[in-house]
Amino acid sequence: MRLNRVLGSARRGPRAGLVATAAVLAAATAVPAASGPAYAAAPCGGAAEAAPPAQVAYVPDWVESIAVDREGRMFATAYFSGRVYRIDAPGSAPVALTGNIGANGGIVVRDDGQLLVGTGNDLAHSLTGDLFPTSKLLRVDPESGAVSTYASGLGGIDGVALAPDGTVYTTTLGGRNIGRVTPDGRVDPAWARVPQPNGIAVSPDGDEVYVVQTTVAPGLYRIPVGDPARPRLWVSADAAEALALPDGLTLDGRGRPLIATQAAGQIWRVEDGRLCAVESGLHLSTQITYGRGDQGFSAGRLYRAGVDGRIYEVPAGAGPVR
């Protein structure tokens, strides 16, 4: 992608300050594979050689987040248009479920099939969200696209994670607060605090919340659900990875975190307390997620979304289903 095209895209949205920085770094790292990507982690060891990533869908927008339901359908939030899209299977054209509802943050699928999507993931709400938590978490019907408010009073919502008990956790990239919404509707916009929180996931047992710190000193935190005032830095990026701009987060079938990076163009995995690269060459990546079910975007397959709107299957990240 040419630098002027990246910068042009970055200027179109209200997140321009943060986006322009990410775009410049990512464009600068788009070097030939032979020289290796800048800000790179070492490859993960012991993995069999896999096929290269393959494009399976395209959304004409910056795709901020993706999730897959039990029927193998993918749902995506579009940053500039604020829409939620449904993609029924690899190769299918995306269908806009909604108009501009400000759904430019994370997305998850509840056990009942309903979607929860974050709003306020723009520069103004991100930078003021800790002081003025006014953003909403919306519920979207995956069939009709009907929209309702699930919770309000949260900071500008970037990442969204769903715990096994139905509790929802959110991040605000321009602040420090981690939001929490309990199944009975109680909202705490400052349940925990992590610097520059971005991607978020919940451990399989629901006892810990994992949060990516994107800038300054990139790393991955673990927050004990029973002691949220004491987040623990789990793994830090090396000096060579300091400008990688880690973004979205998911867990594989063994409960290991995988992290999408924008500038490094890699998908990282946490192994033995360190970061290693599962795949490289996917610059401007925003989110990764695993498929579900036995059709469509199926279980065990890893998918990547990005600023370029392209959805890739990443065979190197395939694995057993939880």
Side-chain angles (χ1 to χ4, degrees), residues 145-245:
V147 179
S148 59
T149 298
Y150 182 77
S152 58
L154 294 157
I157 301 170
D158 186 319
V160 179
L162 185 64
D165 68 355
T167 300
V168 182
Y169 298 92
T170 65
T171 62
T172 301
L173 178 58
R176 298 174 62 91
N177 288 349
I178 309 299
R180 182 175 186 253
V181 182
T182 60
D184 60 359
R186 289 174 292 157
V187 176
D188 184 348
W191 172 76
R193 293 171 67 85
V194 168
Q196 291 292 304
N198 197 336
I200 187 168
V202 182
S203 63
D205 59 12
D207 289 342
E208 292 186 305
V209 176
Y210 305 151
V211 179
V212 172
Q213 179 181 348
T214 288
T215 59
V216 184
L220 183 65
Y221 281 80
R222 290 159 48 154
I223 306 173
V225 169
D227 191 10
R230 291 181 172 82
R232 304 163 187 168
L233 182 59
W234 182 4
V235 57
S236 298
D238 293 337
E241 304 153 4
L243 297 177
L245 293 179

Side-chain angles (χ1 to χ4, degrees), residues 50-142:
Q55 184 175 325
V56 292
Y58 174 71
V59 175
D61 204 324
W62 167 316
V63 177
E64 179 63 20
S65 187
I66 51 175
V68 179
D69 69 4
R70 290 176 177 172
E71 298 180 30
R73 301 178 299 180
M74 180 176 287
F75 301 89
T77 55
Y79 183 78
F80 292 120
S81 70
R83 295 172 174 168
V84 176
Y85 284 89
R86 187 183 73 215
I87 310 170
D88 290 331
S92 298
V95 175
L97 276 178
T98 71
N100 184 356
I101 57 173
N104 49 15
I107 184 168
V108 294
V109 182
R110 300 198 320 177
D111 285 346
D112 63 2
Q114 295 289 295
L115 313 176
L116 296 179
V117 296
T119 65
N121 188 31
D122 56 75
L123 186 61
H125 287 90
S126 290
L127 294 179
T128 63
D130 283 4
L131 292 176
F132 306 105
T134 60
S135 296
K136 296 178 180 180
L137 190 65
L138 302 177
R139 178 168 47 212
V140 177
D141 185 272

Side-chain angles (χ1 to χ4, degrees), residues 238-314:
D238 293 337
E241 304 153 4
L243 297 177
L245 293 179
D247 196 337
L249 173 66
T250 194
L251 304 180
D252 68 10
R254 294 167 56 184
R256 297 176 299 182
L258 284 88
I259 302 169
T261 65
Q262 288 215 22
Q266 294 184 317
I267 295 174
W268 291 345
R269 185 166 64 211
V270 176
E271 289 187 359
D272 301 321
R274 67 179 183 89
L275 295 168
C276 64
V278 171
E279 187 59 82
S280 298
L282 293 171
H283 294 95
L284 299 175
S285 295
T286 53
Q287 181 60 296
I288 45 179
T289 194
Y290 279 93
R292 300 176 70 187
D294 57 5
Q295 61 184 349
F297 296 93
S298 56
R301 298 175 183 267
L302 181 66
Y303 299 96
R304 166 270 188 199
V307 173
D308 54 11
R310 302 182 189 280
I311 312 295
Y312 286 92
E313 181 182 343
V314 184

Side-chain angles (χ1 to χ4, degrees), residues 3-21:
L3 180 58
N4 60 355
R5 180 180 172 191
V6 175
L7 288 174
S9 296
R11 293 191 187 106
R12 283 167 23 209
R15 204 180 182 186
L18 296 175
V19 172
T21 301

